[in-house]
Amino acid sequence: YAKMKTKEENESKDNNDNNDNVSFPFKQRMCMFVDRRSNNFQQKDKNKHSYCDDIVFYECPDGANKLPSTIPSKILPEAFHNLSQKCMIPRVGYKDGENEAMLTMNMKPTDRMRNSTITCRTAPGGNVLIFSFHVIKRDIIKCYLWRDSQFTRFFSGDIINILPFMFNKEFKDNQQFINKEINGD
């Protein structure tokens, strides 16, 4: 984080956009994904197993992470969605501007799926939740939840209103967590 913040602060000095004390990640998109495809579990003791989902928070690769500095301070929200069409989760060796279709056209469908960049148009079977954070200014950050090529604007209350429908309420203490969040305990 410190490395990215320093990099952004140096870039912001060059890009005087009339912003007061620009801080990372101005005009950038960052993502987090929850990978629910794995059936791995952790064994805490002999009698209890806990399934675990991988959660990864990352800066999108160059070309899909930030708006060009030539874009004025008034940003259209759709500009970030355009970046989501380029890349949400990059494939190994991702480079901006490469034609993904040409790279994978002669592969078997299963190999194509494993070796392709996941974009907002990819439907990975409902087991990958992608949170895309669109940072316009320090105090204007929008979050979108993507699942199977569909998205919704994600607000803090959606932790209670949307996520419970995607997870098993009967598993362990999930229902207690929801009740705790609703009651504000």
Side-chain angles (χ1 to χ4, degrees):
Y1 172 78
K3 181 179 172 185
M4 291 188 292
K5 183 173 178 165
T6 303
K7 176 183 162 190
E8 186 61 30
E9 285 172 349
N10 290 337
E11 288 176 6
S12 69
K13 288 176 187 173
D14 298 334
N15 178 22
N16 186 358
D17 232 1
N18 295 328
N19 292 312
D20 52 332
N21 300 324
V22 175
S23 63
F24 178 80
F26 174 66
K27 291 187 182 178
Q28 286 196 358
R29 185 175 68 92
M30 297 182 66
C31 290
M32 176 184 79
F33 71 88
V34 180
D35 188 354
R36 307 195 71 219
R37 297 173 297 176
S38 176
N39 289 327
N40 294 335
F41 61 88
Q42 294 176 337
Q43 188 169 358
K44 294 183 179 180
D45 62 37
K46 287 183 184 179
N47 301 318
K48 292 185 179 180
H49 296 309
S50 174
Y51 287 90
C52 47
D53 299 326
D54 293 326
I55 298 175
V56 179
F57 196 93
Y58 60 99
E59 180 180 15
C60 298
D62 288 340
N65 62 340
K66 65 168 68 173
L67 297 175
S69 58
T70 57
I71 292 181
S73 59
K74 294 187 181 188
I75 299 171
L76 291 175
E78 292 81 7
F80 284 107
H81 291 299
N82 187 44
L83 294 176
S84 298
Q85 290 180 29
K86 292 174 101 177
C87 177
M88 293 291 270
I89 302 175
R91 66 173 167 74
V92 174
Y94 173 87
K95 290 186 180 89
D96 184 38
E98 284 186 332
N99 187 334
E100 292 280 326
M102 293 299 288
L103 292 171
T104 60
M105 67 187 274
N106 293 324
M107 294 182 182
K108 295 178 195 172
T110 53
D111 291 337
R112 183 179 305 121
M113 207 161 111
R114 288 188 188 123
N115 295 300
S116 295
T117 295
I118 294 177
T119 69
C120 65
R121 296 178 179 175
T122 307
N127 291 322
V128 177
L129 305 175
I130 302 172
F131 294 86
S132 182
F133 298 89
H134 302 182
V135 182
I136 297 168
K137 290 185 178 182
R138 178 179 37 219
D139 56 347
I140 303 174
I141 301 173
K142 297 179 180 181
C143 180
Y144 295 88
L145 170 61
W146 291 85
R147 182 178 184 205
D148 276 346
S149 304
Q150 299 176 356
F151 76 97
T152 185
R153 174 84 187 269
F154 193 81
F155 295 94
S156 59
D158 293 335
I159 292 172
I160 298 166
N161 299 325
I162 293 178
L163 290 184
F165 294 103
M166 297 180 185
F167 294 90
N168 182 356
K169 290 186 224 180
E170 308 302 318
F171 183 75
K172 291 220 170 202
D173 299 328
N174 285 354
Q175 187 61 50
Q176 288 177 320
F177 174 78
I178 293 168
N179 293 340
K180 187 176 179 180
E181 288 296 311
I182 289 172
N183 297 329
D185 295 336

